[in-house]
Amino acid sequence: TGYIDESKIAVLRLDPEGNTLWVRETFDATAGGQGHAIIESNDGSIYLVGSCNACGFGEADLFIVKLNQFGETQWTKAYGGPQTDEGWDIIEANDGTLAVAGSYQNGAFSDVYFLKIDPTDGTTLIDKKYNGINNRDDQGFAIAQSSDDQNFVITGSTDFASNETYTFLLKVSAVNGDTIWTKTFDNGTDNAGMDIVESINVMTGLPDGYAITGSFNNNDIFFLKTDLNGLELNSTNYGDAGADQGNAIIQTTEGGYLIAGTDELSGLKAFPTLIKIDSEGFKTWAETYGNSTGFNFIAASARGLTANEENGYTIVGFRSDGIVTLNKANAFAIKVDTSGKLYTNILQGRVFFDFDDDCEMDLNEFGFENWNIVAKGNDQTFYQTSDFEGNFSIPVADGDYEVSMVPPSEYWSACTNAINVSLNNPYDSTTLNFPVQVNQLCSYLEVDASAPYLSPCNSTDYYISYCNKGTDSAQDAYIIIDLDPNLTLTGSTQNFTSLGDNSYRFELGNIAISASDSFRVSVFVDCASIEGQTHCFEAHIHPDTLCTPVGNWDGSSLALEAACNGNQVDLRVRNIGAGDMTNLQGYVIIEDDVMLRPPGPLQIKTGKDSIFSFPANGSTYRIIMEQAEGHPGRSMPTAAIEGCVDGGGSFSTGFYTMFAENDANNFLVKDCQESFPSTETPSHSKRGFPKGYGEDKLITPETELKYVLTFENNGLDTAIRMVIRDTLSTFLDPTSVRPGASSHDFTYEVTGEGILKFTFEDIHLLPNGGTNSSGFVKYSISQKPNNPAGALIKNGAAIFYDYGHPNYTENTCHKIEDFVRVSTNEIFHPAVQGVKVYPNPFVETATVEIVGTEHFGAIKFVVFDTNGKMVYRQEADGPIFTISRNDLPAGFYFYQLEANAQLISSGKVVIQ
């Protein structure tokens, strides 16, 4: 906030990229005025405080304006007396009221002014003036609330004598505004406290005092730390020969502080500055944003500071001349990273179809939308997606970069794979074009499908999206949809033909290069299904031909099936390929969350199969097997079954979605979800699939993740526009993002160091449970290569309706590890029901658990290598114990468990 032409007080709303969303001239202060502070409350309302001349009771008055999220004025109020009064700071109190600090002129001098305001209509709840600090000029510049007792602290300046002002700290009651205590800090003359923040001890999470910044001797920025009673603990000054001032302070997550203010280099030059200090006030780094960073300010001052959601900070203030203007005089905004670096350099260019293969851009060559560009520097990597014309623009810091383009399929190639550039000066823009040519003529169809939630005995809509990312049009395309037995198709926006057995065919016609579309099908979830049961929706788009060259492949292709046949579960492995398997192929069978030791690898001839049968005891069974080396595509065959119980009855749930489905190929999607009670679906959520194994949500380093973001307008008004910002984990590859099915049309982009942004223009979400009040969007993403074991993939999203404050989803979390517990079928003692070794494979240690009814003493765990040589031996005296690697090399090993001189079990362990 600030002013326009020294008469109209203005408010600007910016998005995280610095684009102006709206500008409002909120107050016609014809005789002069200015906005000094602005906040957004928890309900999305905006409150502006400042001063205006001849707009209320006196010569100048403190005023407050309430705006809604669109910048529309809700009410305006003036406060004060017959002389000059000013409002300098405003906060939302914990009880939802507003607290204001300012100054009130009382005769020849001014007093500290404290107001507590009802936000609904601006009614004054507390109106207090304080002249006990000193009977001269006192001003309150900043206010904060104490979380320990809910009272307020105010800082500012008190005038002891002519040209001698000191910083004060005043604590007042939240009930009636009475003074609790006052502290004055007179360690120099001409001082003023300009901003204050309650200090939190990062070890305990409890408040431990207050941190103040301001000016010292009208010359330096100062930092002052007190305890909760206002007793000074330490103070430090920062500055040079010019007149410097600290105007804003925030605490960082690690316990230090950031101070924004003014660095005066000369009487004609003053620049915004940002200083980072530790918890004791020692400077970590300082950045000044002036001529050396490309600005041409004559005079500028940072007045506001905030931490950004996706790391880094934003500084705002006023200026008298410069080039960062936001289209309005006297305002600037600067966004920096966590080290204070300012990204003034631009890497820009265009990704386009090079029709004539001359590697030059011609007028008739169109651009490609949503292609990924990567700028890799020495210590930072930046990402950007091209817009609808193929253009991209990446803000970066100074330095050397390798800029590359990532095509959506291997059927495309660029004239130049990577371009090396050096940016040595601020505002050094470089144009880098990527002419794209056909590497192989082939269509490449992609399909996705999902629904927001499934609930028993309720209808839901599945949304199916598809596109052609290949180099040739797809002729006579169609999609086959297969539904879970508990799902019934009740309608569709696309014509279809029933194929029987809950399978349906949807004709799409020809799909041109880069073309995309979507449709919707309605399904009903069987009333006989139970909450928590898993239901799957599969969509397969054709033609699904892969035109990639085939290497050393034996021609085998495995298809896995899981079926409930009376009193048993049958897991079938079938070779549907044209060739025999030439090598033995391993597999895994899992019962709930325990891996059953298989009898050995398989080698299946073409057209043949192998069946594994297990009792229909209500367990969830899954089989996983790799394709033969060189198999085209990314198939990882798997099949699972839940709810097979001989004679009916209860069954296990929650295990089916722990593991990935065989849909890594873009032409196939299998969307499996556990049902929710219809009354318990969260308004804003982010769910990751597969959900991961066990409480730690374990996944392997190769697992591709799919995320479904759901949203619901719980406000009182229709939301016209919505934005989702998802800051991706550093263990995920931003170039692999594949936006998928969604309930509403959107555009997307990947920016910065890995921020995924979905924008829904004209979404018109109705409030509070209306017909169009909720929705979802889905995307897939791969992990970065070589992620370390134990790494946590953790991230959430912020959802913005119109221009309000964000709604946050809970963080999803996956841990990278080879994780499945192993049980052995080789049991030699009747009292032993099973033996589990987990994790298996393991790196350093694993746990061995004997499940049974007898307590064995003197247990011996003996390990042999593949040549039968004993390499490890350990004794234990209980059913659960830990084994260690003991410097053994990675590989397969066999173990034997002995108790009381009797062999009770044998099995296999894998060391990584």
Side-chain angles (χ1 to χ4, degrees), residues 648-810:
S650 61
F651 54 89
S652 65
T653 60
F655 300 106
Y656 197 111
T657 58
M658 284 184 177
F659 304 93
E661 297 298 325
N662 183 24
D663 61 355
N665 287 316
N666 292 2
F667 53 74
L668 177 68
V669 61
K670 190 171 184 180
D671 185 86
C672 297
Q673 300 188 33
E674 297 165 11
S675 63
F676 278 80
S678 59
T679 57
E680 296 182 11
T681 55
S683 299
H684 304 96
S685 70
K686 182 178 184 182
R687 293 173 291 158
F689 298 94
K691 71 179 183 182
Y693 173 85
E695 293 184 358
D696 289 336
K697 311 297 183 186
L698 305 178
I699 60 172
T700 66
E702 300 81 20
T703 302
E704 181 183 68
L705 288 168
K706 304 174 191 295
Y707 291 104
V708 176
L709 294 155
T710 60
F711 49 85
E712 183 176 2
N713 181 9
N714 293 323
L716 300 177
D717 297 318
T718 299
I720 307 301
R721 179 179 187 266
M722 192 185 76
V723 175
I724 299 177
R725 296 179 64 86
D726 190 338
T727 302
L728 301 173
S729 165
T730 55
F731 297 110
L732 297 175
D733 178 9
T735 66
S736 69
V737 170
R738 288 193 294 126
S742 177
S743 57
H744 298 79
D745 293 336
F746 65 87
T747 59
Y748 89 97
E749 61 178 325
V750 178
T751 63
E753 295 180 78
I755 300 168
L756 177 59
K757 177 182 176 183
F758 295 96
T759 301
F760 299 79
E761 298 286 1
D762 299 320
I763 190 171
H764 290 275
L765 275 185
L766 299 176
N768 290 326
T771 305
N772 176 40
S773 64
S774 62
F776 77 96
V777 64
K778 178 183 176 185
Y779 70 92
S780 304
I781 189 169
S782 300
Q783 298 182 47
K784 288 181 178 177
N786 305 316
N787 277 339
L792 293 177
I793 300 177
K794 183 179 180 181
N795 60 299
I799 302 174
F800 300 80
Y801 296 99
D802 291 317
Y803 308 112
H805 62 286
N807 295 271
Y808 296 100
T809 69
E810 292 186 358

Side-chain angles (χ1 to χ4, degrees), residues 269-293:
K269 286 287 185 182
F271 298 137
T273 189
L274 186 64
I275 302 172
K276 186 173 184 179
I277 59 178
D278 64 17
S279 58
E280 301 300 319
F282 293 103
K283 184 164 62 176
T284 304
W285 52 256
E287 293 285 346
T288 296
Y289 307 100
N291 284 351
S292 62
T293 52

Side-chain angles (χ1 to χ4, degrees), residues 820-823 835-840 846-849 883 895 909:
V820 181
R821 296 183 295 173
V822 175
S823 178
V835 175
K836 302 173 182 177
V837 182
Y838 51 92
N840 191 3
T847 298
V848 179
E849 179 180 352
I883 61 173
Y895 70 81
V909 292

